[in-house]
Amino acid sequence: MTPFAMAAFVCATTFSVPLCAQIVLDNAPASVTVQSGDALFAAPPSIGAQLSAQDPAINSNPITAEMFAPVTKANTPKIYTKPASTGPTEMDLRQLWNELKLNNPQLSSLRESYLSAKATVPQINAPANPQVGLVWSGMPVNSPFALGGANAPTQQYPGGISTNNGFSFTQPLQFPGKKSLAADIADTNAEALLAGSEVTYLQLGAQLSTLYYGALASQKQLQVLKESVIRLEMIKNVAKARYANNAAAYVEFLNAQVAQSAAQADQFNVERQLNVSLHSINTLVGRHSREKLVLRGDVRRAMTSVPTLIELEDYAENSHPSLKSSALQLDAARKGVDLAKKAYLPDFQVIGSSFTPRGPFSANNGALYYQFELDLIIPLYFFTKEKYGVEQAQRNQASAEAGNISNRQQIVLAVNTAYANYEQAKNQAQFLRDRQVPQADTAYKVGLTQYSNNGQGFNDLLTAQTQLRNLEIALAQAESNLLQAQAVLMVSAGKEPF
């Protein structure tokens, strides 16, 4: 081997950049600074801030005190305020999931809907509003409408117009157990809504994991392309030296230069994909799309062991929030049947009245007496409404039972499908990493050694280099697909992928 060939081979082995275990983005593309004074992120007005000052009972209750507390910088949701950007923010997958949980507008909307549904429970359980009435009676036809002087004697009516005047107080009462059961149903539906928001959180998290690992794959592909440019630079130098020694044609140098330019041009597409992924991640976690973001992650360490299919199925059937939501809906439907059957029971109405012979707004010189009345509100008309109300509730229960069974089947099927995709992605990544990439790397080194020793085979060397680059890019994409499949599998079972 000539000294030049030995130097070329040493250069080929020395300048190969090792694959980083921790992948970070040195220069995040298209980054801007988000100003804190932007009108889009202004603090919202305080709703109910005056209530805490007017009602001392609000301050005595810690829950209501927190709900009606004035909005300050400390308790304002992050979706309304954004500090000025001080530089790139480094985040791994766990931190991104936490940001998603706190700042994603869709999840914030679902949380507020849950709190709104919970606020209906004490309203349903509260007693019905009483009625206060003003009573004046015994007024003849075409008599003047006079409240204060209705009982004053006149020449036409010596005994006065109104003989009984007073006030009444009416309190409707439902049959015991109706209100509490209706409030229990509302509370169960609210908890089902919360479980549904957890399903949305997992779905958005799966989307976030896909974007995250896709961005890491783009970063890895950029690194592979940079290594390819270095290898082609070495091939170009060898071709140039051989041409100077009349051992090769000048077209070989030109072809190496064209291949190097093509590898550099491929970087532009990968950078564009990475830029789009970073913008999408920022938007998903509730940040401004153009804020600076650096992804921190270890692809090889993220490939942790995955539980068996049986374990994942058992976990999904016991802990998946979608099944929890459908079970709560079924529980609410069963309680709805009990509530519909209570419609056959009567309701009550209590009326208390006080009367005086004088007018209600005049001096009470006469005797004052009281009256108590108990009304029974009974279901009439052959129980038609009640009968069809029970039938409707039973149909809802049957629908909820069928939906619960279908949901359970779909969850188990999704776990099986995700597990099959994970196994396929695992085998593909392992085959590329253990066989194809090492073989392509050996072929490239052998081709470079032979060509550096004044041998022929320039086209074979370019083909080997191109094949090595393509397989390294395919390995980066296969590892990304494996991690995406792993994340989807965990989410399908109702778990976070870390």
Side-chain angles (χ1 to χ4, degrees):
M1 180 180 294
T2 63
F4 181 80
M6 293 178 61
F9 182 76
V10 172
C11 183
T13 57
T14 304
F15 282 91
S16 60
V17 181
L19 300 182
C20 296
Q22 180 170 328
I23 303 173
V24 297
L25 182 61
D26 295 332
N27 295 319
S31 59
V32 299
T33 300
V34 180
Q35 299 295 334
S36 60
D38 196 338
L40 292 176
F41 304 111
S46 174
I47 299 177
Q50 298 84 0
L51 296 180
S52 59
Q54 297 175 0
D55 191 355
I58 293 179
N59 293 325
S60 62
N61 190 335
I63 300 179
T64 56
E66 180 181 357
M67 293 176 59
F68 293 105
V71 176
T72 62
K73 185 177 180 180
N75 62 9
T76 302
K78 293 183 179 181
I79 59 175
Y80 296 113
T81 60
K82 289 291 180 181
S85 179
T86 57
T89 303
E90 292 188 7
M91 290 188 183
D92 57 11
L93 185 59
R94 185 186 296 272
Q95 292 172 322
L96 288 173
W97 272 67
N98 291 334
E99 289 290 319
L100 172 73
K101 182 185 297 184
L102 294 175
N103 298 331
N104 183 269
Q106 186 175 352
L107 295 178
S108 299
S109 175
L110 292 175
R111 283 194 295 268
E112 295 300 327
S113 298
Y114 163 72
L115 294 176
S116 175
K118 291 289 286 187
T120 62
V121 177
Q123 299 180 51
I124 296 175
N125 203 24
N129 293 329
Q131 302 176 17
V132 178
L134 176 63
V135 181
W136 63 96
S137 60
M139 298 176 66
V141 181
N142 298 324
S143 63
F145 193 80
L147 295 177
N151 201 41
T154 61
Q155 183 178 3
Q156 185 178 1
Y157 302 105
I161 299 175
S162 179
T163 57
N164 289 302
N165 301 293
F167 299 95
S168 68
F169 178 86
T170 306
Q171 177 63 60
L173 298 171
Q174 287 191 344
F175 195 89
K178 284 187 177 181
K179 275 188 170 294
S180 60
L181 184 55
D184 192 13
I185 293 174
D187 185 69
T188 304
N189 287 328
E191 295 301 325
L193 190 63
L194 178 61
S197 67
E198 294 176 1
V199 176
T200 304
Y201 164 67
L202 289 176
Q203 293 174 347
L204 293 176
Q207 182 181 352
L208 175 62
S209 300
T210 300
L211 291 171
Y212 172 79
Y213 289 122
L216 290 184
S218 297
Q219 293 177 187
K220 186 70 171 294
Q221 291 173 18
L222 282 175
Q223 182 181 344
V224 170
L225 290 173
K226 291 177 182 179
E227 294 176 0
S228 178
V229 170
I230 295 175
R231 290 195 296 260
L232 288 168
E233 182 68 24
M234 291 188 293
I235 295 174
K236 187 173 66 173
N237 292 335
V238 172
K240 184 177 181 180
R242 291 193 57 183
Y243 172 73
N245 295 329
N246 296 321
Y250 185 68
V251 69
E252 295 180 355
F253 171 78
L254 293 179
N255 286 335
Q257 192 174 35
V258 170
Q260 187 183 37
S261 299
Q264 291 173 338
D266 289 341
Q267 296 181 22
F268 301 144
N269 292 330
V270 179
E271 288 175 351
R272 179 185 59 83
Q273 295 175 2
L274 178 60
N275 192 20
V276 171
S277 297
L278 292 177
H279 286 188
S280 301
I281 291 174
N282 273 329
T283 302
L284 198 58
V285 299
R287 291 158 49 94
H288 196 284
S289 62
R290 294 192 301 273
E291 279 201 77
K292 298 177 183 179
L293 178 64
V294 176
L295 300 181
R296 184 178 66 251
D298 190 340
V299 175
R300 296 299 175 87
R301 290 182 59 185
M303 297 178 185
T304 56
S305 59
V306 174
T308 63
L309 179 59
I310 301 299
E311 293 174 344
L312 289 173
E313 287 181 352
D314 291 341
Y315 182 88
E317 291 182 344
N318 294 324
S319 304
H320 200 286
S322 179
L323 295 180
K324 179 181 178 181
S325 176
S326 61
L328 289 171
Q329 292 175 3
L330 177 57
D331 186 30
R334 290 170 177 169
K335 293 176 181 177
V337 174
D338 296 335
L339 181 61
K341 292 180 179 179
K342 286 182 177 293
Y344 287 102
L345 301 175
D347 295 330
F348 308 95
Q349 182 172 262
V350 178
I351 304 176
S353 306
S354 65
F355 294 94
T356 176
R358 301 288 295 175
F361 299 111
S362 62
N364 293 324
N365 298 324
L368 182 67
Y369 68 95
Y370 301 91
Q371 176 178 308
F372 180 78
E373 178 182 350
L374 176 62
D375 297 334
L376 187 65
I377 305 173
I378 59 176
L380 274 181
Y381 305 110
F382 309 101
F383 301 107
T384 301
K385 292 187 296 182
E386 290 73 20
K387 179 178 65 176
Y388 284 100
V390 171
E391 180 181 355
Q392 180 184 5
Q394 291 174 343
R395 299 291 184 183
N396 289 333
Q397 178 183 347
S399 175
E401 290 175 348
N404 186 40
I405 296 174
S406 175
N407 196 18
R408 187 174 300 275
Q409 292 175 346
Q410 293 298 323
I411 292 298
V412 174
L413 178 61
V415 171
N416 281 268
T417 303
Y419 195 85
N421 293 335
Y422 166 77
E423 288 291 332
Q424 182 181 2
K426 179 181 178 182
N427 294 333
Q428 184 178 2
Q430 185 175 1
F431 181 72
L432 283 168
R433 183 175 57 252
D434 296 342
R435 293 189 57 182
Q436 288 190 291
V437 172
Q439 291 173 357
D441 183 65
T442 302
Y444 162 71
K445 292 179 180 179
V446 171
L448 180 61
T449 302
Q450 292 179 352
Y451 185 68
S452 300
N453 290 330
N454 293 324
Q456 302 298 319
F458 175 79
N459 292 332
D460 294 337
L461 176 58
L462 278 186
T463 300
Q465 194 284 138
T466 302
Q467 189 70 13
L468 176 59
R469 182 190 67 183
N470 293 338
L471 287 175
E472 287 177 339
I473 293 177
L475 176 59
Q477 188 62 46
E479 290 178 345
S480 174
N481 293 337
L482 174 59
L483 292 173
Q484 292 177 27
Q486 177 179 321
V488 171
L489 174 60
M490 293 300 179
V491 169
S492 299
K495 299 179 62 177
E496 295 176 341
F498 42 77

